[in-house]
Amino acid sequence: MDINYCIWLMLCTSGVMGQFQVDPLVATVLTGSDAQFTAKVQGTWAIMTWTVQGFLVLTVPRSGNISSSSEQFSASFCSSVDTGCVAFTIHNTTRAEAGPVTCTIQGDYGSKTVQLQVQESGTVQIKEGNMTVVQDQEVEIHCETSAWFPIPEIRWTLNGDTMDSGPTNSTNVTHGDSFNSSSVLKFQAVKDSTLVCWATLQTLTNPLASSVHVLVVPKPPDRTVLIAVVCSFGGLALLALLILGIMFCYKRRKEKGVATSDQSDSGYFQRTRSNIFEMPNSACNNQTENGYKSTYNGVDDDLTKHRHATIV
């Protein structure tokens, strides 16, 4: 194969005929900002065109007026004396313009295609808000971002110091090509702290942030020993009350038994008294002297009385 044909084929394949280049090859911008590409051509050329997403948006003649499809697209020569350098600008970029951008020069120059990437920032919010926790308590904080493209980089700071967090979880938003994400930070609360969740993109000059204040209060004293002592004394007190109760019941039963016995003895005494009879002394004397037994059928009150009791 002829060497000159090979060189020509390589130039055609690369989209370059002569001296022609477009910079940058990839432009990354934030939604709402401007994206700019520069075409540099050495040699004589007549007309340059620019297409975005396959649609012709601007025509630049080397001499004459530049025509644009809308105010969103513009072009100008890099300097008044250098007509070989053209700056093409896309104003107020949106996600709709992201994709291939092609510069074509009529003649033997061909075309060059570069890429436009458009990033979009959303919102960032710490879910919990300000909180009060006990000293040395483990705290778990959730930071949520929504409607970002691509997934933002999330980092945490505690009182200004960067903190390590777990992996960031992300989910696609059901409407559109955006992302929601969440990040969780766990730390031990030692003192009052300000916690900040930062979300950023390559194109963000200043990261977006959400912050909360964590108020740390002293933890209550350990009541384990106190509870153990109270429980011990409580157990001993209950045992003592139980013993006293048993003794009291036993004493009552014993007293009741003694009272019953006394009542029995008193009845017995009363019954034995009913067997007592009285005899006059004269009757006793007569019985002794006369040798016969007389029956008591009444005596004078002044006679001396003798009591006889029969006890069984």
Side-chain angles (χ1 to χ4, degrees):
M1 183 179 294
D2 185 76
I3 185 68
N4 293 326
Y5 175 78
C6 291
I7 295 174
W8 177 85
L9 183 61
M10 291 174 62
L11 292 174
C12 290
T13 303
S14 63
V16 178
M17 299 294 291
Q19 300 294 323
F20 170 48
Q21 64 181 24
V22 178
D23 294 312
L25 296 178
V26 179
T28 304
V29 297
L30 188 66
T31 300
S33 60
D34 294 346
Q36 189 174 82
F37 298 92
T38 301
K40 296 180 179 179
V41 186
Q42 290 185 1
T44 303
W45 60 277
I47 297 176
M48 177 187 297
T49 61
W50 292 85
T51 61
V52 176
Q53 291 278 13
F55 296 97
L56 178 64
V57 296
L58 188 138
T59 301
V60 182
R62 187 170 183 176
S63 60
N65 296 326
I66 298 173
S67 60
S68 175
S69 62
S70 72
E71 294 181 353
Q72 187 180 9
F73 308 99
S74 67
S76 62
F77 292 104
C78 298
S79 67
S80 57
V81 296
D82 185 8
T83 58
C85 179
V86 176
F88 170 65
T89 304
I90 304 175
H91 302 279
N92 193 24
T93 56
T94 66
R95 298 280 300 284
E97 288 80 55
V101 176
T102 302
C103 176
T104 303
I105 299 176
Q106 292 182 357
D108 296 333
Y109 289 93
S111 61
K112 277 286 276 189
T113 300
V114 292
Q115 295 293 323
L116 173 63
Q117 296 180 351
V118 181
Q119 298 182 343
E120 185 173 4
S121 63
T123 61
V124 56
Q125 182 67 43
I126 293 180
K127 182 178 178 181
E128 285 76 11
N130 295 333
M131 63 178 65
T132 301
V133 300
V134 178
Q135 189 177 19
D136 295 332
Q137 176 183 343
E138 185 179 66
V139 182
E140 183 173 293
I141 305 292
H142 299 78
C143 180
E144 298 180 347
T145 65
S146 60
W148 289 72
F149 183 84
I151 301 172
E153 177 187 352
I154 297 178
R155 65 183 180 91
W156 295 86
T157 58
L158 181 64
N159 296 328
D161 298 326
T162 300
M163 299 286 292
D164 293 330
S165 64
T168 300
N169 299 319
S170 63
T171 56
N172 292 331
V173 177
T174 55
H175 56 281
D177 188 16
S178 298
F179 296 93
N180 292 340
S181 63
S182 63
S183 178
V184 180
L185 177 68
K186 295 181 180 180
F187 69 99
Q188 191 173 21
V190 178
K191 60 181 180 179
D192 294 351
S193 304
T194 299
L195 191 69
V196 183
C197 175
W198 304 85
T200 188
L201 295 171
Q202 173 188 351
T203 55
L204 266 179
T205 305
N206 298 312
L208 301 185
S210 176
S211 63
V212 294
H213 184 69
V214 179
L215 177 64
V216 178
V217 297
K219 58 183 177 181
D222 188 1
R223 301 182 183 275
T224 304
V225 176
L226 178 61
I227 293 174
V229 172
V230 171
C231 291
S232 299
F233 278 103
L236 292 175
L238 288 176
L239 181 60
L241 289 175
L242 180 61
I243 295 173
L244 290 176
I246 294 174
M247 294 176 63
F248 178 77
C249 292
Y250 176 76
K251 183 178 180 181
R252 289 293 301 272
R253 288 189 61 185
K254 186 175 181 182
E255 290 177 350
K256 186 176 180 181
V258 172
T260 303
S261 177
D262 291 343
Q263 289 178 0
S264 300
D265 293 343
S266 175
Y268 169 78
F269 179 73
Q270 291 177 356
R271 287 194 303 271
T272 56
R273 288 195 60 186
S274 64
N275 296 325
I276 298 175
F277 63 91
E278 298 176 351
M279 294 180 64
N281 291 332
S282 59
C284 293
N285 295 331
N286 290 336
Q287 183 180 2
T288 305
E289 295 175 358
N290 298 329
Y292 66 92
K293 182 179 180 180
S294 64
T295 302
Y296 173 75
N297 56 359
V299 294
D300 293 336
D301 293 337
D302 59 347
L303 296 178
T304 302
K305 298 179 180 179
H306 295 271
R307 295 181 180 178
H308 295 270
T310 302
I311 299 177
V312 180

